[in-house]
Amino acid sequence: MYSEHARIRMQQRGVPPLIVEWLLQYGAVAYDHHGGRIRFFDKKSKKRIRQEKGEIVLRRFHELFDSYAVV
């Protein structure tokens, strides 16, 4: 599912696959004007995660909600 480059970067940055899955599922989208899409957590996506997964989960992973993915 992930490219070798993505796996290496995830490991270097300590970003678990769950966070990448949530970025793809819940994250907001911005375009980089070079053909890529940037997925990131905004207030709306964090609210959806809180509603579906719970406040405890949101607090547990709060430091990883600054992560983003270029797709």
Side-chain angles (χ1 to χ4, degrees):
M1 176 172 171
Y2 302 113
S3 68
E4 183 65 22
H5 176 79
R7 281 192 289 275
I8 290 168
R9 292 293 183 252
M10 288 166 58
Q11 184 178 21
Q12 288 173 335
R13 291 168 173 80
V15 177
L18 176 64
I19 296 299
V20 177
E21 290 175 30
W22 285 357
L23 278 167
L24 299 175
Q25 184 177 358
Y26 299 104
V29 178
Y31 296 93
D32 69 358
H33 304 289
H34 297 283
R37 290 174 290 154
I38 302 167
R39 303 297 299 235
F40 62 95
F41 295 114
D42 61 358
K43 286 182 182 181
K44 186 175 179 180
S45 57
K46 291 177 192 176
K47 181 179 178 181
R48 285 185 57 210
I49 293 169
R50 181 182 293 114
Q51 290 171 340
E52 292 184 23
K53 307 296 182 189
E55 181 67 31
I56 294 171
V57 172
L58 194 70
R59 276 193 246 148
R60 170 65 177 92
F61 292 110
H62 78 277
E63 70 278 355
L64 295 171
F65 285 111
D66 288 335
S67 302
Y68 65 92
V70 180
V71 183

